[in-house]
Amino acid sequence: METRFRASHPLYKILGLCCFVVTVVFLLQRSNISLELGELQSSPRSRILAKPKPQLYYVKTPKCQIPYVDPFNAEVMEIYKPQVLVTCSNESDLVSTEYNEKLKRHILHIDDEVALQLLNFTEAEYNCFYREIKYRSQADTYDNLSAKKYFTDGYVVPQHVEGMVVECQTAEDPKVVLQKDAFVFVQHQPLPKDLQKPRAARKPSVIMYGIDSLSRINLRRTMPKVFSFLQGAGWYEMQGYNKVADNSFPNILAILSGYSERTAREQVCDTNKAGCLDEMPMMWKYFKNASYLTGYAEDESNSNHFSYLKPGFTRKPMDFYFRPMLRALESELDVYRLPEHDYMRYCLGRRMANRYIYDYGRQFAQRFVHERPIWGMFWSNHFSHDDPFMPSAMQDKVLGDLLDFHADGAFEEMIMIFFADHGTRFGKLTRLQEGFLEERLPMMFIYLPPWFRETYPTYVQALELNQHRLSSNFDLHNTLKHIVEIGGTPDGPVLPKSFDCPTCQSLFYPLPVDRTCSQAGIAEHWCTCDPYKKIMGQTWTNTIAESVIDRMNEYFVHKNLSQLCSNLTLNYVHKTEMKTGLDVQWYDELKQVETAVYRIKFKVAENSADFQATVVYNNVTQNADVDVEKISRTNTYKEDSTCIEDKLAKLYCICFSDLKS
Ligand SMILES: *[C@@H]1O[C@H](CO)[C@@H](O)[C@H](O)[C@H]1NC(C)=O
Ligand SMILES: *[C@@H]1O[C@H](CO)[C@@H](O)[C@H](O)[C@H]1NC(C)=O
Ligand SMILES: *[C@@H]1O[C@H](CO)[C@@H](O)[C@H](O)[C@H]1NC(C)=O
Ligand SMILES: *[C@@H]1O[C@H](CO)[C@@H](O)[C@H](O)[C@H]1NC(C)=O
Ligand SMILES: *[C@@H]1O[C@H](CO)[C@@H](O)[C@H](O)[C@H]1NC(C)=O
Ligand SMILES: *[C@@H]1O[C@H](CO)[C@@H](O)[C@H](O)[C@H]1NC(C)=O
Ligand SMILES: *[C@@H]1O[C@H](CO)[C@@H](O)[C@H](O)[C@H]1NC(C)=O
Ligand SMILES: *[C@@H]1O[C@H](CO)[C@@H](O)[C@H](O)[C@H]1NC(C)=O
């Protein structure tokens, strides 16, 4: 899969080299610098002399304080150990591919020495062939593999081939398979005539590199080398970026469409119904209309954003769409799952699943970013979704990807969004003091290439400032729309902004300093701006949980699920916190109040399910006011709600048929 890139023009090599040197120098300089804001503003001299002050807040503005969490604090260090990378194969590649920039074609190479080893140093004859993976039109999958095609070293892959499964076998019976592998190709497309004319403004390309479930805290903990890279010139971290919904789909939908599921249903269509996702005004359509080439890839087909309990697409949604290839890789190659996390496919044949995805993204950028505007999103689920510490094993791979983009000169051209959908939503990290923040603060980094920084200095200043202001998915959506507008004509259409958040805006303009969660489209339950105080050892808080459970049982009645889902009963309360004003200090005594906002985490007796709710509770009437669909489920529910399909209700329903005694 490693595609060697031959830069066509010597200028790119020089640019690439300069970039690399600058980065290395920067990283070296940077390695000992504190990340604390105040420190960065002080003189270089005092930086060396003064002992760095620890960062206390991600955001500290009049109406929002998001505390900074030490990623290596004592509590987490009791459970955290960096993990060792599990490899999928230690064999050398018998077949490899190379992209010939002059021919604009992929070439297959066969390594005789590797063959000799695999033949146990006998002189036996062997053959290699491939079977093409073809897209099936009007569907989300592939056709059967086409007939075997034999090839020899130096074979030039035909331009229509987008993927293949290759095999080398001994020639004599009994045939022994020496090695089986698969390759996916981004094939070059010549620039259409109308794009060859000089344009009004340069259109910035955008590559979105996504890792599922990775919070900014856990990124710092598990991938310090990557984090260090992301401190380089041109990178901006949205430290006040707060997710707007529970799991992947609604958070990604907000970024890519500007809608929540609920308003999409009211305004456009029901995303649970077949055909709706084709109709939604997704971001890639705006890019496409602005003559961008579009690409998209994700691993683990069962968990894909648009297919997990969703109908997926009925038409190919982007120019370069990986899912049919993924379906082929998952069924045509040997699959290996890690014993401790056997839900996701870890190896597809000889490679980790995420290697195919990020390589596809790299190829997409290599092929086009120097010629024409592109937008692409490349996302991996399988190494971070089920184990919050596995990214530590993957960090050299991810860093390698970023360095590859660098080596290709892609960072000279494109904007990169390096991001996650949300943090850890279940398991050991959510049980820590900081669990609430881990869950709600996905990492969000934006890179601006040098030409963009030179052309739009005010956008850069705003982005820099916004690093420490509250922001959300809807702002990112508006930023993407802004990017489309930047490359258009001055009298071009003004694109519609996030429907769900009229007060959201492009991150290239300064965000209000007194912004609140509701102004950023973030519901109270997800908001990390307000301090909460833990209520210790008091039994009256049980009545809060009981009242929340009443609301959940009423919800089952309302949704006509009472025949299928058991009523819930309280087992015990894990933790209760009460919202205090920004002026209340952690050591102040709690005051008696009739009505207050509480965050409560509790366990129900049915299948020991755990929930976390943010509720307005009246301590006199003992009534909790809560939107059930905003309650979080904090342990896995795969085996608890097999009787229903509704993606939201699945979080709360314990099916009678799945009840454990
Ligand atoms: C920089 O950090 C390294 C390792 O973290 C340490 O060994 C070295 O002494 C530090 N240098 C300075 C100048 O602080
Ligand atoms: C590759 O080699 C390492 C180190 O010897 C070993 O731990 C690992 O199991 C091997 N992987 C495979 C897939 O054989
Ligand atoms: C080479 O030896 C290994 C181990 O004995 C065996 O599994 C494999 O089939 C042999 N390869 C060939 C081509 O005979
Ligand atoms: C694929 O192959 C299977 C079994 O050989 C066959 O049943 C099926 O109809 C084929 N599908 C297509 C689309 O050719
Ligand atoms: C893209 O352009 C077509 C043709 O002008 C238009 O009908 C469509 O609404 C546009 N799509 C978006 C998302 O702007
Ligand atoms: C379940 O809860 C609903 C709503 O509170 C209630 O109407 C119903 O009687 C309960 N069912 C059982 C079996 O307790
Ligand atoms: C309610 O659910 C039951 C059983 O699941 C079903 O038979 C009935 O038709 C549903 N009623 C409505 C109004 O949807
Ligand atoms: C709620 O009421 C209980 C007594 O019913 C009391 O002990 C507790 O302090 C009250 N909590 C608040 C925050 O007023």
Side-chain angles (χ1 to χ4, degrees), residues 117-120 170 176 178:
Q117 280 172 30
L118 295 172
L119 287 164
N120 300 327
T170 52
V176 177
L178 300 183

Side-chain angles (χ1 to χ4, degrees), residues 142 180 326-335 345 348:
Y142 69 108
K180 184 174 177 181
L326 177 65
R327 300 282 291 274
L329 300 177
E330 288 177 348
S331 39
E332 304 293 342
L333 300 177
D334 291 336
V335 168
R345 298 166 177 94
L348 300 176

Side-chain angles (χ1 to χ4, degrees), residues 319-343:
D319 300 308
F320 292 86
Y321 181 51
F322 192 81
R323 187 170 163 85
M325 287 293 148
L326 177 65
R327 300 282 291 274
L329 300 177
E330 288 177 348
S331 39
E332 304 293 342
L333 300 177
D334 291 336
V335 168
Y336 173 77
R337 297 163 197 264
L338 295 174
E340 63 272 29
H341 301 292
D342 60 359
Y343 174 64

Side-chain angles (χ1 to χ4, degrees), residues 453-472:
R453 280 178 269 152
E454 274 160 32
T455 316
Y456 304 106
T458 61
Y459 295 169
V460 178
Q461 277 164 20
L463 194 63
E464 202 160 359
L465 181 79
N466 291 340
Q467 293 188 106
H468 293 280
R469 295 207 172 154
L470 179 66
S471 59
S472 78

Side-chain angles (χ1 to χ4, degrees), residues 176-305:
V176 177
V177 176
L178 300 183
Q179 204 171 74
K180 184 174 177 181
D181 210 341
F183 301 103
V184 178
F185 304 110
V186 173
Q187 296 282 8
H188 184 259
Q189 292 179 2
L191 198 60
K193 277 256 156 28
D194 58 325
L195 283 188
Q196 291 171 5
K197 312 191 281 268
R199 291 188 298 262
R202 187 168 172 182
K203 292 177 198 259
S205 290
V206 182
I207 292 288
M208 301 179 67
Y209 186 114
I211 301 177
D212 204 273
S213 307
L214 193 58
S215 75
R216 77 195 54 147
I217 307 164
N218 205 30
L219 169 79
R220 284 164 167 80
R221 176 183 302 125
T222 58
M223 295 190 164
K225 291 189 214 168
V226 173
F227 178 68
S228 172
F229 181 90
L230 299 172
Q231 304 309 299
W235 284 98
Y236 302 88
E237 182 182 15
M238 298 299 111
Q239 298 196 20
Y241 183 84
N242 190 121
K243 72 171 186 173
V244 295
D246 185 28
N247 53 0
S248 300
F249 180 77
N251 280 300
I252 295 297
L253 186 72
I255 295 173
L256 294 180
S257 79
Y259 285 96
S260 68
E261 277 183 274
R262 195 178 292 186
T263 56
R265 188 158 49 230
E266 290 159 10
Q267 300 292 324
V268 191
C269 54
D270 181 349
T271 56
N272 293 316
K273 300 235 161 83
C276 175
L277 292 171
D278 301 279
E279 297 313 314
M280 284 294 292
M282 296 291 201
M283 211 47 239
W284 56 81
K285 296 186 177 173
Y286 294 95
F287 280 110
K288 178 96 196 136
N289 271 8
S291 68
Y292 281 64
L293 270 185
T294 55
Y296 187 90
E298 222 184 316
D299 60 15
E300 188 46 59
S301 61
N302 291 341
S303 294
N304 283 183
H305 294 320

Side-chain angles (χ1 to χ4, degrees), residues 57-66 465 468-470 511-517 519 529-531 579-584:
Y57 295 94
Y58 283 120
V59 171
K60 191 173 195 302
T61 51
K63 292 189 181 149
C64 182
Q65 295 185 3
I66 305 178
L465 181 79
H468 293 280
R469 295 207 172 154
L470 179 66
L511 291 164
V513 69
D514 58 352
R515 210 171 194 219
T516 61
C517 275
Q519 284 164 358
C529 281
D530 297 305
K579 184 175 172 179
T580 64
L582 289 173
D583 52 332
V584 175

Side-chain angles (χ1 to χ4, degrees), residues 250-432:
N251 280 300
I252 295 297
L253 186 72
I255 295 173
L256 294 180
S257 79
Y259 285 96
S260 68
E261 277 183 274
R262 195 178 292 186
T263 56
R265 188 158 49 230
E266 290 159 10
Q267 300 292 324
V268 191
C269 54
D270 181 349
T271 56
N272 293 316
K273 300 235 161 83
C276 175
L277 292 171
D278 301 279
E279 297 313 314
M280 284 294 292
M282 296 291 201
M283 211 47 239
W284 56 81
K285 296 186 177 173
Y286 294 95
F287 280 110
K288 178 96 196 136
N289 271 8
S291 68
Y292 281 64
L293 270 185
T294 55
Y296 187 90
E298 222 184 316
D299 60 15
E300 188 46 59
S301 61
N302 291 341
S303 294
N304 283 183
H305 294 320
F306 304 107
S307 314
Y308 172 70
L309 303 175
K310 289 285 171 191
F313 300 103
T314 61
R315 297 189 295 272
K316 190 179 171 196
M318 302 88 183
D319 300 308
F320 292 86
Y321 181 51
F322 192 81
R323 187 170 163 85
M325 287 293 148
L326 177 65
R327 300 282 291 274
L329 300 177
E330 288 177 348
S331 39
E332 304 293 342
L333 300 177
D334 291 336
V335 168
Y336 173 77
R337 297 163 197 264
L338 295 174
E340 63 272 29
H341 301 292
D342 60 359
Y343 174 64
M344 302 256 181
R345 298 166 177 94
Y346 181 85
C347 298
L348 300 176
R350 306 179 61 238
R351 272 176 269 275
M352 285 172 272
N354 72 69
R355 291 298 90 205
Y356 294 94
I357 301 308
Y358 296 136
D359 175 78
Y360 196 67
R362 182 189 182 194
Q363 285 196 48
F364 181 61
Q366 278 178 340
R367 229 51 89 231
F368 303 112
V369 81
H370 296 297
E371 286 182 8
R372 58 192 294 184
I374 56 174
W375 172 86
M377 177 161 149
F378 304 92
W379 186 274
S380 177
N381 299 294
H382 82 100
F383 70 92
S384 53
H385 184 272
D386 292 334
D387 183 343
F389 297 148
M390 211 196 291
S392 61
M394 213 59 68
Q395 83 157 332
D396 287 327
K397 296 286 174 198
V398 172
L399 180 63
D401 291 336
L402 293 169
L403 291 171
D404 283 345
F405 278 114
H406 224 120
D408 295 347
F411 284 129
E412 287 301 305
E413 305 278 355
M414 67 185 193
I415 293 176
M416 180 178 267
I417 315 241
F418 187 88
F419 75 121
D421 43 0
H422 49 73
T424 297
R425 289 172 46 242
F426 48 83
K428 48 199 171 194
L429 276 184
T430 58
R431 293 194 280 272
L432 304 180

